[in-house]
Amino acid sequence: MTIFAGVFARSSNQEIPDELISELQSGISRSPEDNNALIEYKNKHIYIAKIDIGALGEPGHFTDSELVGFLAGDPVLQHTSEKIATRLGSLKLLAEDVSHEKFDLFRECRGTYCAVVYEPEKKKLSLITDKIGVRPVYFWIQPNFIVFASALRILEALCCYQREIDLKGISEITCFGYPLSDRTPYKDIFSLYAGEVASFEATKIERKKYWDWSALPLKKIENTVFAKQLHEIFIESIKIRLKKQKSVAAFLSGGLDSRAIVAALRELHTNVITANFAPQGSQDQVFGQLIADALGTHHSHLPKGKTSNDDSYHKHSTKNWINSEAFRSENLVRPKIIWSGDGGSMGLGHIYQNAEIVNLAREKDLDKAKKIFFSYNRWGIFPKLLKQPIESVVRKLLAEGVQSELNSIQPEDPGRLFYLFLLLNDQRRHMFVHFEDIDLDRIELELPFFDADLITAIVQQPIDRFLRHAFYLDWLAYFDPK
């Protein structure tokens, strides 16, 4: 399943308005391809709707007398060291865990996903996100209802209820490009946090974290030994997502992240069809072609063709590419999935921070660390943009939001503070725009750099070795030179 939305009645005496259901039905997808494709579950206490673009090739929903489950993405549940549960099997296992208020299996998931589980007997709704929260779930708390969706635009399109702006969320979007914590631009509309389960019953709202990145113990492993271990984890993250596919499509630029993914795919004897959008004659295009030649991929240079200003994947050109005769002739098992290096620059490359910021965090000089952190990344509110006293209010709200988020992160190594701040905010929100328009773009991305085991291994190491991309050289040395 690709997109879901729904509404839960908080009172057993409250009927869900037909108007609200109708708006959810019409708003979940804007694509003509989804006409008459809506899959629904409904009783007098809840309504859930979903659309699946068919990219993953496996069911993402089930309904029985005791449990109802809907899934977007793939949990990649590694139930044993050698066995990966199917997508539907994963959903059923996770739903069973939720019903018993257990979260052991959630901690074994490596993928990017979100889910909704409903227990008819208990009249209980649970919303779930992956360990990083890459795949979003939004919920709108109202006196009589909880309205939820995997895309914010669905809630924004509802005419039944009036939304109120959250100035703190807006201030953070102005500074960072995204709100911090669980905020959205609206009061009473929240996004689930990383590794969270939010449960709703008639008189009860409960939010639990089943995963805490700052609680991971520090493990110091010699650099070359760790580089080898991380390479093995990365190759495994590729292998478990490949399953039985022999041919896949991938973005390939001159950058390290996409090169590492394609190299790993080729190391696993996978046929790879690659493409990039670099300008003609640019360094990125030349480097991309060189690595494509070296790895033996079927490479294409695509013209830039955005569907919106926020479209970093040039999806107009990407859609033309995957619908082209040459692409279709490859007979890919999953032609709507493209492997992407998103998450690598921050997760492994540790951009947005430097040694001075790390050392100041260790010295507990957070005021100076924050100042340098903002300056280093050119974040802030432009003085000429707002008039007084609005500017002062916005700055205060921004400072409060940042400090509150930093206070919630307590890693064993304080030098990891700003990395985790970025992981739980920048990286967590990194793909949100992509999922907003997935109904129109109809492309899923395979994201091995967001693999939970990979990030866990990185977080448990001292941060210093990763700064300035230094660790990449040790790590890349373990890739097959052929």
Side-chain angles (χ1 to χ4, degrees):
M1 184 182 64
T2 307
I3 314 161
F4 62 72
V7 54
F8 171 70
R10 301 181 68 183
S11 169
S12 59
N13 298 321
Q14 184 70 48
E15 292 188 7
I16 300 173
D18 291 338
E19 181 185 3
L20 178 52
I21 291 177
S22 178
E23 287 198 86
L24 289 171
Q25 289 172 330
S26 62
I28 191 168
S29 177
R30 298 159 292 179
S31 172
E33 294 183 50
D34 293 325
N35 291 344
N36 304 314
L38 199 63
I39 299 173
E40 302 168 287
Y41 173 83
K42 181 182 179 182
N43 64 31
K44 64 180 182 179
H45 303 292
I46 194 166
Y47 171 77
I48 310 172
K50 78 178 189 71
I51 288 292
D52 195 330
I53 66 171
L56 296 174
E58 298 177 41
H61 71 284
F62 74 93
T63 301
D64 60 38
S65 59
E66 296 181 354
L67 286 171
V68 176
F70 292 91
L71 173 71
D74 189 345
V76 190
L77 173 56
Q78 197 156 9
H79 194 32
T80 68
S81 60
E82 297 181 356
K83 183 179 179 181
I84 305 296
T86 65
R87 188 169 176 245
L88 180 57
S90 298
L91 176 60
K92 289 182 176 180
L93 289 169
L94 295 175
E96 190 71 24
D97 244 22
V98 168
S99 70
H100 291 96
E101 298 188 4
K102 292 169 55 182
F103 305 103
D104 295 340
L105 291 179
F106 286 86
R107 300 183 187 101
E108 296 180 22
C109 292
R110 300 178 63 166
T112 56
Y113 70 97
C114 61
V116 51
V117 173
Y118 181 65
E119 301 171 62
E121 185 70 25
K122 297 179 183 177
K123 301 179 182 62
K124 181 179 179 181
L125 167 72
S126 295
L127 304 174
I128 304 143
T129 52
D130 60 66
K131 290 179 185 176
I132 304 175
V134 175
R135 199 109 188 191
V137 180
Y138 303 92
F139 60 95
W140 190 353
I141 300 176
Q142 299 184 20
N144 297 319
F145 304 103
I146 302 295
V147 190
F148 57 92
S150 58
L152 184 59
R153 61 166 180 81
I154 298 172
L155 303 185
E156 290 177 320
L158 295 177
C159 299
C160 302
Y161 303 101
Q162 186 175 358
R163 290 166 296 281
E164 185 179 352
I165 291 295
D166 181 351
L167 187 55
K168 181 175 283 189
I170 293 294
S171 300
E172 291 163 352
I173 291 171
T174 303
C175 179
F176 299 106
Y178 47 81
L180 303 180
S181 187
D182 63 353
R183 281 182 287 281
T184 70
Y186 309 103
K187 289 184 178 179
D188 298 324
I189 300 181
F190 305 93
S191 66
L192 259 68
Y193 208 56
E196 184 178 26
V197 176
S199 298
F200 307 89
E201 296 179 78
T203 60
K204 184 179 179 182
I205 297 177
E206 187 175 26
R207 302 179 65 177
K208 292 182 179 179
K209 282 187 181 181
Y210 65 83
W211 187 261
D212 184 355
W213 289 100
S214 64
L216 293 174
L218 191 63
K219 297 180 179 179
K220 297 182 179 180
I221 303 174
E222 194 273 324
N223 211 47
T224 54
V225 174
F226 178 67
K228 184 175 185 296
Q229 289 181 2
L230 197 68
H231 173 261
E232 291 171 353
I233 294 172
F234 185 71
I235 294 295
E236 185 184 33
S237 77
I238 301 285
K239 188 176 181 179
I240 61 180
R241 286 165 173 79
L242 263 178
K243 298 181 180 178
K244 295 182 179 180
Q245 296 176 87
K246 299 300 182 183
S247 295
V248 299
F251 292 126
L252 179 61
S253 69
L256 289 171
D257 304 320
S258 63
R259 280 191 281 170
I261 289 173
V262 176
L265 287 166
R266 295 294 291 141
E267 194 170 320
L268 292 168
H269 310 292
T270 308
N271 180 48
V272 188
I273 301 95
T274 58
N276 76 2
F277 311 97
Q280 187 67 31
S282 66
Q283 176 178 284
D284 190 71
Q285 186 192 60
V286 172
F287 285 178
Q289 185 64 61
L290 286 171
I291 193 66
D293 292 341
L295 293 174
T297 74
H298 305 271
H299 194 60
S300 298
H301 298 289
L302 305 182
K304 292 188 175 183
K306 293 191 173 187
T307 56
S308 69
N309 290 333
D310 296 322
D311 175 15
S312 59
Y313 303 98
H314 299 273
K315 288 179 181 174
H316 179 73
S317 293
T318 299
K319 288 170 69 175
N320 289 339
W321 176 48
I322 65 175
N323 288 314
S324 67
E325 185 176 341
F327 189 95
R328 288 175 179 271
S329 68
E330 298 291 341
N331 296 314
L332 301 187
V333 174
R334 296 180 174 181
K336 293 182 180 180
I337 295 181
I338 302 176
W339 292 67
S340 174
D342 286 283
S345 294
M346 209 299 291
L348 179 58
H350 289 63
I351 59 172
Y352 306 133
Q353 54 209 301
N354 59 23
E356 187 176 11
I357 296 167
V358 169
N359 291 332
L360 287 168
R362 286 178 175 147
E363 295 166 6
K364 303 297 178 66
D365 191 349
L366 288 188
D367 287 339
K368 189 173 182 181
K370 284 188 293 184
K371 184 177 180 180
I372 295 172
F373 182 58
F374 273 66
S375 176
Y376 184 73
N377 293 292
R378 299 180 180 179
W379 285 329
I381 301 295
F382 292 100
K384 294 181 180 180
L385 186 63
L386 302 170
K387 293 182 179 180
Q388 289 291 351
I390 297 297
E391 182 191 350
S392 297
V393 172
V394 168
R395 287 186 182 279
K396 181 181 178 182
L397 290 173
L398 184 59
E400 289 175 353
V402 171
Q403 190 59 54
S404 175
E405 191 68 2
L406 290 173
N407 290 343
S408 71
I409 304 168
Q410 302 291 330
E412 182 178 332
D413 175 11
R416 276 274 173 206
L417 179 63
F418 287 92
Y419 176 91
L420 292 177
F421 173 89
L422 290 164
L423 179 71
L424 298 173
N425 292 282
D426 176 88
Q427 290 295 274
R428 172 170 151 256
R429 306 268 187 171
H430 185 72
M431 304 302 300
F432 278 23
V433 172
H434 167 66
F435 295 121
E436 283 294 303
D437 292 328
I438 198 168
D439 59 318
L440 298 176
D441 301 326
R442 312 189 78 74
I443 298 167
E444 286 274 9
L445 300 178
E446 201 70 82
L447 304 165
F449 274 109
F450 282 112
D451 182 87
D453 283 14
L454 183 77
I455 299 298
T456 296
I458 292 168
V459 169
Q460 291 187 295
Q461 293 303 304
I463 191 172
D464 312 78
R465 66 176 58 163
F466 296 96
L467 300 176
R468 299 176 62 88
H469 276 66
F471 180 76
Y472 260 103
L473 298 178
D474 293 327
W475 182 63
L476 290 172
Y478 287 93
F479 282 79
D480 188 346
K482 299 178 182 178

